[in-house]
């Protein structure tokens, strides 16, 4: 962005110069960013709210969005741009817990009314040990495992389902969260939870995956997930992995056993 002054001068027939007061003009060169999602269960829609008004003539593709809840994938049938909102028409029941949402721009880019193209995507993460609202979120850019103050993401926090939208440049780093309030109990969250880059969830399981991964440079995140799942007896649905697993919304036959394991981890982390 930048502020510019426009100064108008007029010379009459006698050669006299008249100058009007300077007009300040602000040029908006920063594209709008996604800030939050709102679910309407009755209408089966998800509304993504952006920071600035969008140009309705530039709609993204429905295929650019993915909406999941653990192993369940929701079909995005259509997309509409209206004001500051991008409205996703969803096939399926959205009422049973938090959602992971990802937007990856392709050939059809959105644009705000200032003409700035929206080239970056976003991910909606779910933060839970019980859903946790109002957390502090850090993008661990230096990968030292410490929530450095200069890594705090200003003005961004979780809602009552532990959901938060982060742009792709932020989720390319490991995520650290602290503070906030456990929605179920009303207690202040005392745990510092982490997740590897690219994860859709931040919870006790993701925290241990990140710790195992960070402890051995020769080890991949996938290998760390296998080590943890085998050690704790975590059983996931076919095609599912820990990067998107939310124990709270799990309704499978393994849900109770998995939640017991997560509770045990949280107890250890709290010590």
């Amino acid at each position: 962005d930048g502020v510019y002054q426009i100064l108008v001068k007029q010379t009459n027939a006698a050669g006299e110069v008249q100058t009007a007061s300077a007009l300040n003009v602000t040029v908006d060169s920063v594209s709008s960013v996604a800030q939050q999602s709102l679910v309407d269960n009755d209408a089966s829609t998800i509304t993504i709210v952006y920071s600035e008004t969008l140009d309705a003539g530039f709609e993204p593709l429905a295929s650019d969005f993915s909406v999941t809840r653990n192993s369940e994938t929701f079909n995005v049938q259509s997309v509409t741009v209206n004001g500051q909102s991008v409205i996703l028409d969803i096939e399926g029941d959205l009422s049973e817990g938090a959602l992971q949402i990802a937007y990856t721009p392709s050939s059809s880019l959105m644009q705000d009314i200032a003409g700035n193209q929206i080239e970056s995507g976003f991910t909606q993460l779910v933060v839970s040990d019980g859903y946790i609202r109002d957390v502090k979120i850090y993008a661990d850019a230096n990968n030292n495992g410490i929530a450095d103050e200069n890594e705090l993401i200003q003005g961004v926090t979780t809602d009552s389902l532990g959901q938060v939208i982060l742009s792709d440049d932020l989720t390319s780093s490991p995520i650290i969260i602290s503070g906030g309030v456990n929605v179920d109990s009303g207690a202040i969250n005392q745990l510092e939870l982490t997740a590897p880059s690219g994860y859709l969830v931040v919870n006790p399981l993701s925290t241990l995956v990140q710790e195992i991964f960070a402890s051995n440079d020769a080890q991949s995140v996938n290998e760390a997930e296998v080590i943890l799942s085998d050690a704790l007896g975590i059983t996931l649905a076919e095609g599912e992995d820990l990067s998107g697993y939310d124990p709270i919304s799990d309704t499978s036959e393994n849900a109770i056993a998995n939640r017991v394991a997560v509770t045990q981890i949280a107890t250890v982390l709290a010590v």
Side-chain angles (χ1 to χ4, degrees):
D1 291 0
V3 178
Y4 299 84
Q5 286 189 334
I6 297 177
L7 193 63
V8 178
K9 294 183 178 180
Q10 178 179 335
T11 305
N12 61 22
E16 298 172 331
V17 178
Q18 295 178 326
T19 304
S21 299
L23 176 64
N24 291 328
V25 177
T26 301
V27 177
D28 180 1
S29 59
V30 178
S31 59
S32 184
V33 296
Q35 294 184 315
Q36 64 174 325
S37 71
L38 304 171
V39 173
D40 186 330
N41 295 320
D42 294 332
S44 291
T45 60
I46 300 172
T47 299
I48 310 298
V49 181
Y50 276 76
S51 58
E52 298 177 14
T53 302
L54 305 173
D55 189 330
F58 294 83
E59 290 186 344
L61 302 176
S63 58
D64 291 346
F65 292 88
S66 69
V67 180
T68 58
R69 182 190 293 126
N70 287 332
S71 59
E72 185 177 9
T73 298
F74 297 90
N75 180 37
V76 181
Q77 297 178 304
S78 64
V79 179
T80 305
V81 174
N82 183 13
Q84 290 180 238
S85 300
V86 176
I87 303 167
L88 312 182
D89 183 25
I90 305 296
E91 181 181 5
D93 182 5
L94 300 172
S95 63
E96 297 299 325
L99 297 169
Q100 293 106 11
I101 304 171
Y103 168 56
T104 305
S106 60
S107 58
S108 183
L109 296 178
M110 288 187 286
Q111 185 170 295
D112 61 29
I113 58 169
N116 301 305
Q117 285 190 326
I118 301 173
E119 299 179 340
S120 63
F122 67 78
T123 300
Q124 177 166 282
L125 308 180
V126 177
V127 178
S128 66
D129 175 34
Y131 293 132
I132 306 172
R133 62 172 173 84
D134 300 331
V135 301
K136 290 183 177 181
I137 306 172
Y138 302 80
D140 188 18
N142 60 12
N143 206 27
N144 66 353
I146 298 172
D148 299 312
E149 279 305 310
N150 64 344
E151 295 174 332
L152 176 65
I153 304 172
Q154 299 287 348
V156 175
T157 192
T158 48
D159 63 16
S160 61
L161 287 176
Q163 301 170 141
V164 61
I165 289 179
L166 298 179
S167 58
D168 285 349
D169 62 320
L170 297 173
T171 56
S172 62
S173 298
I175 297 298
I176 302 173
I177 73 97
S178 65
V181 177
N182 185 297
V183 175
D184 292 334
S185 66
I188 300 297
N189 171 50
Q190 303 293 339
L191 299 180
E192 183 174 270
L193 300 173
T194 62
S197 61
Y199 258 46
L200 297 171
V201 293
V202 184
N203 55 39
L205 290 172
S206 70
T207 301
L208 284 191
V209 170
Q210 176 61 17
E211 289 185 3
I212 295 169
F213 170 61
S215 69
N216 186 347
D217 292 339
Q219 197 165 245
S220 70
V221 171
N222 287 341
E223 289 170 335
E225 290 178 0
V226 171
I227 291 171
L228 181 62
S229 295
D230 289 348
L232 297 177
I234 298 291
T235 303
L236 303 180
E238 184 177 354
E240 188 176 17
D241 59 48
L242 293 179
S243 68
Y245 179 62
D246 173 21
I248 298 175
S249 61
D250 185 359
T251 57
S252 72
E253 61 183 12
N254 300 304
I256 294 177
N258 288 348
R259 287 193 196 110
V260 168
V262 173
T263 301
Q264 291 171 341
I265 296 170
T267 300
V268 172
L269 293 174
V271 174

